[in-house]
Amino acid sequence: MNKLFQLLLVLCLLQATGCGFFSSSINKLKQKAKQAYKKRFGKDSAINIWGQQKSEYPGANQQLRAENRQKWHEYYECLIAQSKNLNNQKTITPEAIIGFETASIAMECKICLNPLESELKSSVEWEWASPEEDIMSPIEFTEHILVSPEDRTLHIYNLKPENSGQYMCKLGQSIVAPYFLTVVNISEDTFNEVHSPAALNGPYSEKPQELKYSLVLDTEWGEWTPCSKCNEIGRKHKLGYCEVFSKEIVGVKENQTEDTSLDDVKELFNIFKYGIPCQSHILPNAIRQIPETKCPEGQVFEIRDKDGKVLERANNSDGIYSLTQKLPPLEPTVERQVQYGVKGKDIVLECPGNINSDVPQQWQIGEKNLIPETIAKQSNGRIFISITDRVHIKMAKISDSNIYR
């Protein structure tokens, strides 16, 4: 009995010694592995000592498990969105978009990357082709053309007409629907200001109109701008532009043109199911010539021969007239008036001109508009514009001397 007890004691001591030896060796191996992976992948690497993604194999770490679940959820949501983006031919739907000259635009890369492919995001490339080219080539990045490193969104600032074309992002053999960008030059003179449908008074935006080829003309709106005032009632606006959409074609017979048939139109708008802007360079000429889709243009005077060939053109909107035209009526002369005032006394300025029409008057100092509410607030009521459109200056100062128009 005594010998058996001694043997068990020796076995226990050997086992304890062996366990300590092996555990020490394993710990040293773990430390070496950690140092090796830290040296290779960096201090904040998401790879464990077995070379696996921590987010993919989070073990019992609840935070990593939640992050992993969220990343895979976003990936599946992206796939669902792409599936809904398929057109009637079950192919990816391209987008025809408009950019305004000197403004900016952002084009999102819609490639779906799962968490295991997230490190490939930096390999996403953007290519483009101008409207005259058929072959895509890599984009040359400049101070105005940049790609966001976080989501590979393409940003183009200070847009120019030469930025028009087809844009597409890809990763290896994976590509997504392209963008067809058309950069247009707009003038504030061509804007039609309308109010929100929720506003009490109009004017309101035009309602959708039906066109030939079983198309619909409607307004596409951008995003709201920030409010003009902080913590106060102000104004915000958004730009809208006309866009052509398709609708269900049921037994519609239209007169065909040489350029475009009804079948061609159906095929085009089945591909571009989100519509095509009226000023897009990919919109067929037959549709661009429909009166409702035409944008306002300047008044151009043309002289043609008996065969219809243009012999002379004169852009009347730019003040250029043909010698064969009647001279336009002369603009009325600008009325000028010099008015003297005494420092410390009150002065009232009246508009010396008259166009024999009951229209609002806008006062300016130099190129700066005088907004009645603003000028009264800034001057604490010393300068104000009355309801009769007169400028009242109380207790005039030398600094009030200026050119008022």
Side-chain angles (χ1 to χ4, degrees):
M1 190 68 177
N2 188 24
K3 292 181 179 180
L4 179 60
F5 174 76
Q6 290 177 352
L7 179 60
L8 291 173
L9 180 61
V10 171
L11 288 174
C12 289
L13 289 174
L14 286 174
Q15 185 178 3
T17 304
C19 291
F21 170 77
F22 285 114
S23 63
S24 176
S25 300
I26 291 175
N27 288 334
K28 289 181 180 179
L29 287 174
K30 287 183 177 180
Q31 291 297 329
K32 289 183 179 180
K34 287 182 179 179
Q35 292 176 2
Y37 276 96
K38 186 178 294 185
K39 182 178 180 181
R40 179 179 177 185
F41 299 106
K43 181 179 179 181
D44 299 325
S45 174
I47 297 178
N48 60 26
I49 63 172
W50 295 283
Q52 300 168 335
Q53 293 281 343
K54 288 183 179 180
S55 61
E56 182 64 17
Y57 301 96
N61 189 315
Q62 294 299 325
Q63 180 179 353
L64 289 179
R65 288 166 66 91
E67 293 176 357
N68 181 51
R69 190 180 298 110
Q70 178 62 26
K71 290 178 180 178
W72 281 99
H73 175 73
E74 293 174 357
Y75 170 64
Y76 291 131
E77 288 291 326
C78 180
L79 293 178
I80 293 173
Q82 280 195 356
S83 176
K84 293 180 179 179
N85 196 35
L86 298 178
N87 53 34
N88 296 341
Q89 286 77 29
K90 298 302 179 183
T91 58
I92 52 180
T93 302
E95 295 184 44
I97 55 178
I98 285 291
F100 301 116
E101 195 170 345
T102 71
S104 62
I105 198 168
M107 288 174 274
E108 179 185 356
C109 182
K110 299 179 181 179
I111 290 181
C112 299
L113 297 177
N114 65 47
L116 294 178
E117 298 172 327
S118 58
E119 69 274 8
L120 302 176
K121 188 176 293 184
S122 59
S123 300
V124 172
E125 299 177 345
W126 278 91
E127 295 184 346
W128 90 295
S130 67
E132 296 79 20
E133 298 174 335
D134 298 326
I135 300 176
M136 306 284 287
S137 58
I139 291 179
E140 294 184 5
F141 298 105
T142 65
E143 61 178 336
H144 299 306
I145 304 178
L146 308 169
V147 169
S148 170
E150 293 82 9
D151 55 8
R152 310 307 292 172
T153 296
L154 178 65
H155 298 268
I156 304 180
Y157 301 93
N158 193 21
L159 283 167
K160 301 295 183 184
E162 52 265 28
N163 295 130
S164 298
Q166 180 180 352
Y167 292 81
M168 182 171 59
C169 70
K170 69 174 188 176
L171 175 61
Q173 299 300 318
S174 299
I175 60 175
V176 293
Y179 296 92
F180 289 83
L181 170 66
T182 303
V183 180
V184 297
N185 185 13
I186 57 174
S187 171
E188 283 75 7
D189 297 335
T190 62
F191 285 170
N192 291 326
E193 184 175 339
V194 296
H195 299 162
S196 166
L200 296 177
N201 300 315
Y204 304 110
S205 60
E206 295 287 343
K207 295 182 179 180
Q209 302 180 47
E210 292 191 11
L211 309 175
K212 61 189 302 186
Y213 304 114
S214 193
L215 300 175
V216 176
L217 182 70
D218 201 0
T219 304
E220 182 72 13
W221 294 98
E223 299 294 330
W224 285 105
T225 63
C227 189
S228 60
K229 296 182 179 180
C230 294
N231 301 321
E232 294 183 31
I233 296 177
R235 300 185 67 182
K236 57 182 181 179
H237 64 271
K238 58 182 176 181
L239 292 176
Y241 52 88
C242 74
E243 191 152 3
V244 182
F245 299 88
S246 177
K247 67 175 183 177
E248 294 292 332
I249 301 177
V250 183
V252 178
K253 294 184 179 180
E254 297 282 356
N255 294 327
Q256 308 303 316
T257 67
E258 296 179 359
D259 300 328
T260 306
S261 68
L262 183 59
D263 291 337
D264 294 334
V265 172
K266 289 176 60 178
E267 182 179 358
L268 178 66
F269 282 90
N270 282 335
I271 295 174
F272 289 87
K273 69 176 186 179
Y274 298 131
I276 302 177
C278 298
Q279 294 178 276
S280 175
H281 65 275
I282 66 172
L283 193 68
N285 286 330
I287 301 177
R288 296 168 69 96
Q289 296 304 317
I290 298 176
E292 291 84 355
T293 64
K294 281 189 174 182
C295 294
E297 297 180 355
Q299 295 181 358
V300 178
F301 177 79
E302 293 182 345
I303 299 178
R304 298 175 180 265
D305 60 14
K306 61 181 181 179
D307 297 325
K309 183 179 179 181
V310 177
L311 301 177
E312 181 185 358
R313 300 186 69 186
N315 190 349
N316 295 172
S317 299
D318 289 341
I320 302 174
Y321 295 85
S322 170
L323 293 176
T324 60
Q325 286 183 269
K326 292 183 179 180
L327 290 177
L330 295 176
E331 294 184 359
T333 58
V334 177
E335 295 287 340
R336 293 177 174 85
Q337 176 180 316
V338 179
Q339 184 168 336
Y340 295 92
V342 179
K343 179 183 176 182
K345 300 293 184 178
D346 295 347
I347 298 175
V348 178
L349 303 179
E350 298 180 356
C351 185
N354 193 308
I355 58 174
N356 296 324
S357 179
D358 184 17
V359 296
Q361 295 182 14
Q362 173 68 63
W363 282 91
Q364 291 181 326
I365 297 180
E367 298 297 329
K368 182 179 179 181
N369 291 335
L370 291 183
I371 308 301
E373 297 83 359
T374 304
I375 191 66
K377 183 177 181 180
Q378 291 177 346
S379 65
N380 292 324
R382 191 179 68 86
I383 303 176
F384 64 94
I385 300 176
S386 64
I387 59 174
T388 56
D389 293 322
R390 300 178 182 182
V391 179
H392 293 254
I393 304 175
K394 297 181 179 180
M395 300 180 64
K397 300 179 179 179
I398 299 298
S399 59
D400 294 327
S401 301
N402 214 318
I403 298 176
Y404 294 78
R405 58 179 182 178

